């Protein structure tokens, strides 16, 4: 039986939806399609969309610890990991320790503390 729905996108909790939308817009090239004090969204451009919703008393996930669980993480790929690392850090991402991926992938934290990975690809 075919699915009655299709995957549309993901929405991330945060304290500042516009700031996080701007970060992911730069990271992915997706355009901001909507923004307000409580929500911002990126147009999926034929693929999955991304949303960012304001949550009162938002607590950033802790990685690698689990005192505040990760909740999820996003995966991206790049041909040049060193160039990608330099670029995402200029955008405002942080690089936490430890880094379990060696030269195959790297873990970063977006400005709201959500972990995401960039893999060689």
């Amino acid at each position: 039986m075919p699915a009655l729905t299709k995957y549309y996108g993901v929405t991330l909790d945060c304290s500042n939806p516009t700031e996080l939308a701007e970060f992911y817009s730069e990271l992915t090239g997706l355009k901001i399609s909507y923004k307000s004090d409580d929500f911002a969204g990126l147009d999926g451009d034929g693929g999955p969309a991304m949303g960012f919703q304001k949550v009162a008393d938002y607590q950033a996930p802790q990685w690698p610890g689990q005192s505040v669980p990760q909740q999820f993480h996003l995966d991206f790929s790049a041909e040049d990991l060193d160039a990608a690392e330099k670029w995402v850090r200029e955008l405002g991402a942080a690089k936490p320790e430890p880094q379990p991926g060696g030269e195959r992938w790297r873990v970063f934290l977006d400005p709201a503390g959500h972990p995401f990975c960039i893999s060689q690809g």
Side-chain angles (χ1 to χ4, degrees), residues 8 10 32 48 52 56 64 66 70 77 81 88 93 97 108:
Y8 176 73
V10 64
I32 297 174
F52 311 92
Q66 293 295 308
Q70 291 181 47
S77 65
L81 278 177
V88 299
E97 291 296 333
F108 299 95

Side-chain angles (χ1 to χ4, degrees), residues 11 26-27 29 39 41 49 52-53 77 84 86 90 104-105 110:
T11 298
E26 290 291 327
L27 182 67
F39 185 86
F52 311 92
Q53 64 186 2
S77 65
K86 181 178 185 294
E90 288 171 358
R104 297 181 323 179
W105 80 84
D110 71 21

Side-chain angles (χ1 to χ4, degrees), residues 2-36:
L4 298 177
T5 61
K6 68 177 187 172
Y7 177 69
Y8 176 73
V10 64
T11 298
L12 287 68
D13 291 349
C14 61
S15 60
N16 187 329
T18 298
E19 175 185 68
L20 208 53
E22 288 170 353
F23 173 83
Y24 279 104
S25 177
E26 290 291 327
L27 182 67
T28 64
L30 298 175
K31 304 289 185 239
I32 297 174
S33 57
Y34 177 83
K35 62 182 175 180
S36 71

